[in-house]
Amino acid sequence: MDRQENNVFLLALATMEAYRLSHSDRPDFDVRICEAILARALGYESRTMWVARIQQDGLFDYANDTMQQQYKTLFERIQNEVK
């Protein structure tokens, strides 16, 4: 996997996390399972590892309370990366 693909997948993880947190009125088990599958495919052995990475890379901010906006922004970034 090259660096650009890795970046897109990290963006996908960040987007899923923003989606999960912006829909806190629903159970999040399914989203967490999807995150775990993708993270494992990227070589992350734990949630802690990939969460630290998306924060370090500036892809996600847990302190930001506008999760829906983060989700929208991240989703748009994925669309632009894939083009």
Side-chain angles (χ1 to χ4, degrees), residues 16-65:
M16 285 190 285
E17 187 69 352
Y19 175 85
R20 183 183 74 79
L21 293 171
S22 68
H23 292 85
S24 60
D25 58 325
R26 300 182 204 164
D28 67 354
F29 181 76
D30 293 339
V31 176
R32 283 182 180 260
I33 293 296
C34 293
E35 290 173 338
I37 292 167
L38 181 54
R40 184 57 118 170
L42 289 169
Y44 294 100
E45 295 179 12
S46 72
R47 180 176 179 81
T48 305
M49 291 173 64
W50 69 261
V51 165
R53 178 66 189 269
I54 64 174
Q55 287 179 304
Q56 174 188 342
D57 288 1
L59 297 175
F60 195 79
D61 179 8
Y62 282 92
N64 186 339
D65 62 353

